[in-house]
Amino acid sequence: MRIIIVGGSNSLVRNGWTKYLPDHFPGEIVNLSIGATTTLTGIYRLLQGITLQKGDVIVWEYAVNEIKHIERGYVWKDLLKYIEYMIKISRDAQAAFAPVIFTTKQEEMKAKRHPYFAGLIDLFSTYGVAYFDLSREYRALHKVETAPEEIYRDAVHYAFDPILLNWIAGSVSDLAKRANIPENPAEVYTGGSRVHLLNDFTDGVFENSLLSIPTASLPKSIQLPEGGRIAAAYYLTYPDKPSAIRISLLSKDGKEYRRLRLSATNINGIRMPLLKSCAFEAGAKQEWQFAAGDRLRVRPAERGGKVYAEYETRASLPNQLEPYTEGFCGFLVETPGSAPSSTARRGFLDRLKSRLARLV
């Protein structure tokens, strides 16, 4: 059995819980975690970074990051949709799925958590997968109503407490050992659609201590062979280099009918390149539906000003930009399928309303 971790910085930091995981799990551990992003980037890492095999266990850990993205305007049900896509990727590969739910300090101190958490739990229950909810398990273990602030070292990261982190690692190992392949219920958010990575136009490679990923030099023009929807873009952002990316969707006759300008510049203090994903529901505020024969055009933005900025990137750029010539990684594309039955969706929503009512 092989554990594949896709999560945020709590799963990436050198002295975090993953440091203790080998003490509890003697098998192969592959850590594909990327901080300051969402499940969308986890999907990219699974589709691009590894070949899933029957018997693998995917450990998902993006709740903390997704709460921070909700605070910045992401819709929580959209985030659950991409988690459902990851669950389906796991099932299609005959890999088990083991979700690990961490909580920000702010959410932990609230009388009730954001509805996103209830939605998470109901989604996992719908697919018949067990999960480890740190907040719930800690409260039960220590017989407290709220976990103490001392378990955090800042707003989003757990403390470097060996006892705490060893307990987390042991709990995740136990979860992985009993994890199962997701069931095949009627789909809740994804409507039978599937996702695939569109990056066959890449012509270079970016490498550092965390990543080795294909990238594209810009500009690029990409013909779309079938209809679907652009769900997200993947790209690298850089420090000390004010630049942005302009993405356009053009009809067969060359008319531009969608446009998005993305910041590719880190905020001050972030000194390394970042791998980012932009969900088009959040960035473009429009559906990017396309027909067979339409084109995507990706090129450096020529002017600054206000641009869409993902977490830890700059939303306002100087008028004079440096050309963004390399570092674009691709798109996540949805292709249509059958919609979930109204009975299945109604049943899921009834369970979610019931859970939310209990939290009030």
Side-chain angles (χ1 to χ4, degrees):
M1 182 170 70
R2 177 175 64 164
I3 285 179
I4 301 166
I5 305 169
V6 283
S9 51
N10 275 296
S11 296
L12 183 62
V13 64
R14 181 176 301 174
N15 293 316
W17 70 270
T18 56
K19 172 184 175 181
Y20 300 85
L21 187 57
D23 296 336
H24 300 271
F25 181 79
E28 183 181 359
I29 300 169
V30 179
N31 195 341
L32 299 179
S33 299
I34 296 290
T37 186
T38 69
T39 300
L40 269 171
T41 300
I43 290 174
Y44 173 84
R45 295 288 274 156
L46 289 177
L47 295 179
Q48 176 58 52
I50 198 166
T51 300
L52 291 174
Q53 302 169 1
K54 184 176 181 179
D56 285 341
V57 179
I58 298 171
V59 172
W60 170 92
E61 182 275 299
Y62 267 120
V64 164
N65 295 50
E66 297 194 337
I67 281 294
K68 299 305 292 182
H69 280 71
I70 291 166
E71 292 172 2
R72 291 175 55 84
Y74 270 63
V75 177
W76 62 273
K77 291 183 180 179
D78 289 339
L79 293 167
L80 293 183
K81 175 177 67 174
Y82 293 113
I83 297 169
E84 186 170 34
Y85 275 128
M86 184 179 284
I87 291 171
K88 288 160 49 174
I89 290 168
S90 176
R91 185 186 64 208
D92 291 347
Q94 293 291 285
F97 194 73
V100 174
I101 304 173
F102 291 165
T103 306
T104 63
K105 182 163 69 173
Q106 182 180 20
E107 289 291 323
E108 180 62 44
M109 301 304 146
K110 288 181 179 179
K112 60 177 182 178
R113 292 189 294 187
H114 190 281
Y116 163 84
F117 290 97
L120 265 183
I121 290 169
D122 276 316
L123 183 61
F124 298 148
S125 298
T126 296
Y127 279 86
V129 295
Y131 57 88
F132 170 67
D133 183 343
L134 188 152
S135 175
R136 188 183 72 173
E137 298 298 331
Y138 187 97
R139 295 177 192 207
L141 178 65
H142 295 277
K143 297 180 174 57
V144 295
E145 293 188 2
T146 303
E149 292 188 26
E150 289 72 25
I151 71 169
Y152 292 91
R153 62 185 172 92
D154 58 34
V156 295
H157 297 105
Y158 290 104
F160 291 146
D161 176 352
I163 295 175
L164 172 68
L165 298 176
N166 193 59
W167 171 69
I168 294 172
S171 300
V172 174
S173 176
D174 290 344
L175 175 67
K177 291 171 184 175
R178 59 188 172 89
N180 58 282
I181 298 168
E183 296 173 3
N184 192 23
E187 296 174 16
V188 181
Y189 295 104
T190 56
S193 297
R194 290 293 184 267
V195 289
H196 68 270
L197 190 60
L198 175 63
N199 69 342
D200 57 1
F201 53 87
T202 56
D203 50 18
V205 176
F206 171 83
E207 291 185 297
N208 65 9
S209 60
L210 291 177
L211 295 169
S212 178
I213 55 175
T215 59
S217 57
L218 300 185
K220 283 286 186 291
S221 180
I222 305 132
Q223 186 168 12
L224 300 163
E226 59 181 350
R229 187 181 80 91
I230 303 298
Y234 298 107
Y235 53 101
L236 293 168
T237 64
Y238 299 96
D240 302 325
K241 182 182 177 182
S243 60
I245 307 163
R246 175 170 167 158
I247 304 173
S248 304
L249 184 58
L250 294 84
S251 62
K252 296 176 188 177
D253 59 6
K255 180 181 178 182
E256 181 184 70
Y257 63 97
R258 290 287 185 270
R259 179 192 310 165
L260 175 63
R261 297 199 314 143
L262 289 173
S263 173
T265 308
N266 296 350
I267 60 172
N268 293 337
I270 307 296
R271 305 301 305 167
M272 66 181 70
L274 300 175
L275 175 61
K276 307 302 289 186
S277 59
C278 170
F280 278 38
E281 298 103 333
K285 305 296 185 185
Q286 293 176 310
E287 289 290 317
W288 278 48
Q289 301 282 353
F290 60 86
D294 287 355
R295 262 182 196 282
L296 283 165
R297 185 168 61 197
V298 189
R299 55 182 173 169
E302 296 179 353
R303 58 182 176 81
K306 296 293 184 181
V307 293
Y308 178 74
E310 273 293 323
Y311 188 55
E312 295 189 341
T313 63
R314 291 173 55 185
S316 182
L317 299 175
N319 288 332
Q320 189 69 33
L321 296 180
E322 295 186 31
Y324 184 96
T325 55
E326 58 184 20
F328 193 79
C329 303
F331 295 96
L332 189 70
V333 176
E334 287 181 342
T335 52
S338 58
S341 70
S342 58
T343 301
R345 180 177 288 275
R346 186 166 58 250
F348 176 86
L349 293 176
D350 287 345
R351 290 195 304 275
L352 181 55
K353 289 176 183 177
S354 175
R355 183 178 293 276
L356 290 173
R358 293 196 299 271
L359 294 174
V360 174

